[in-house]
Amino acid sequence: MTSKRRNPPPSHLKTKTADWWRSVHEDYTLEPHHTRLLTLAAEAWDRCQQAREEVGRDGITVKTSDGGLKAHPAIAIERDARLAFARLVRELDLDVDPPVAGRRPPALASNRG
């Protein structure tokens, strides 16, 4: 069973990320487990951006209790979220050619026999 109904994106996603989630849902034929992977990818993107903003505000290093410097903890969060996003997008096969106008959206490669 594939999903083509108008599923709303999760309410906790940022507006631009929710727009991306919605466009992927409209452009591809997704199984329920793909929708979950898509949601995880969107959450990873938002987390990456949140960490990026924190590093941008605070700098790449923070002071330690002894007056030294260490890498900002959000750098690791950004890296991990970036990797998670890239892997999830790859898992969803979203890097295939975009659908041709007027034709049925492509099935994900993992759905093809």
Side-chain angles (χ1 to χ4, degrees):
M1 175 173 130
T2 58
S3 171
K4 280 307 292 172
R5 62 187 178 276
R6 301 265 182 206
N7 288 341
S11 61
H12 63 278
L13 296 177
K14 300 223 181 228
T15 301
K16 287 184 179 182
T17 308
D19 291 343
W20 174 76
W21 187 99
R22 196 176 293 107
S23 72
V24 171
H25 228 277
E26 291 171 358
D27 291 345
Y28 293 88
T29 302
L30 302 179
E31 297 289 338
H33 64 281
H34 294 126
T35 297
R36 289 181 183 214
L37 292 173
L38 178 62
T39 299
L40 289 172
E43 291 167 344
W45 178 263
D46 278 352
R47 182 66 67 225
C48 180
Q49 297 308 304
Q50 180 185 14
R52 180 76 209 118
E53 290 168 11
E54 193 170 319
V55 170
R57 183 181 59 245
D58 300 341
I60 61 170
T61 58
V62 293
K63 288 188 179 186
T64 61
S65 58
D66 64 359
L69 293 175
K70 69 175 186 174
H72 195 298
I75 289 175
I77 295 168
E78 180 185 6
R79 178 198 63 230
D80 293 347
R82 182 182 292 126
L83 288 170
F85 176 79
R87 288 174 179 161
L88 288 159
V89 167
R90 183 179 63 211
E91 182 72 21
L92 287 166
D93 298 319
L94 297 181
D95 55 353
V96 298
D97 291 335
V100 176
R103 288 183 38 198
R104 179 185 165 126
L108 298 174
S110 58
N111 285 345
R112 295 181 219 138

